[in-house]
Amino acid sequence: MLVRDAMSTMVLTIGPAHTLRQAARLMAARRIGAAVVHDPDTCGLGILTERDILNAVGSGQDPDTETASAHTTTDVVFAAPAWTLEEAAAAMTHGGFRHLIVLEDDGPVGIVSVRDIIRCWTPSPRRPAELVG
């Protein structure tokens, strides 16, 4: 199975000046765990994850004044839609992260997460009561 089969095509793109609270609200409304941060001044793409926001707030930083740019990972590993899920999982394991921005023609077309990969590798979902029984 390929990354294109597992990735979410709902890509939230924010700017570096978004506050952490703004980013968190947008991510929560879409029920996603990461946002692509596009900085037009550097022509670069980065990623801001729920864990980045959690770490900032947990260390006492103000989510209303802290900006995405201060917490964005800019040394990003990108995936291609034609990667296998094994390649994506290996990249995540090697890098110690849970999301990959999927690029095609130099632009983001999706995000694949560990959860997306697990969902593809797991047989049809069963309700928790069926798992206990």
Side-chain angles (χ1 to χ4, degrees):
M1 188 168 274
L2 303 178
V3 165
R4 75 170 47 92
D5 303 318
M7 72 182 191
S8 170
T9 57
M10 181 183 300
V11 179
L12 171 62
T13 303
I14 63 172
H18 275 80
T19 67
L20 294 184
R21 184 175 310 279
Q22 290 170 325
R25 281 187 180 139
L26 292 168
M27 290 163 61
R30 290 164 178 79
R31 298 177 52 107
I32 57 175
V36 173
V37 181
H38 177 248
D39 189 342
D41 293 334
T42 65
C43 294
L45 292 177
I47 191 165
L48 179 72
T49 67
E50 58 195 355
R51 181 163 291 185
D52 297 326
I53 296 169
L54 180 68
N55 287 339
V57 172
S59 69
Q61 297 178 358
D62 184 352
D64 291 314
T65 59
E66 286 294 312
T67 60
S69 64
H71 301 278
T72 297
T73 300
T74 55
D75 184 21
V76 179
V77 175
F78 298 100
W83 277 19
T84 65
L85 293 186
E86 289 81 5
E87 289 173 307
M92 290 177 185
T93 301
H94 179 75
F97 43 81
R98 299 181 297 170
H99 297 85
L100 287 170
I101 299 171
V102 183
L103 287 185
E104 189 168 56
D105 299 327
D106 297 325
V109 294
I111 292 185
V112 65
S113 69
V114 170
R115 181 175 291 164
D116 296 326
I117 294 171
I118 291 170
R119 194 177 350 243
C120 289
W121 286 347
T122 304
S124 63
R126 295 182 290 178
R127 293 187 311 244
E130 293 173 298
L131 295 175
V132 175

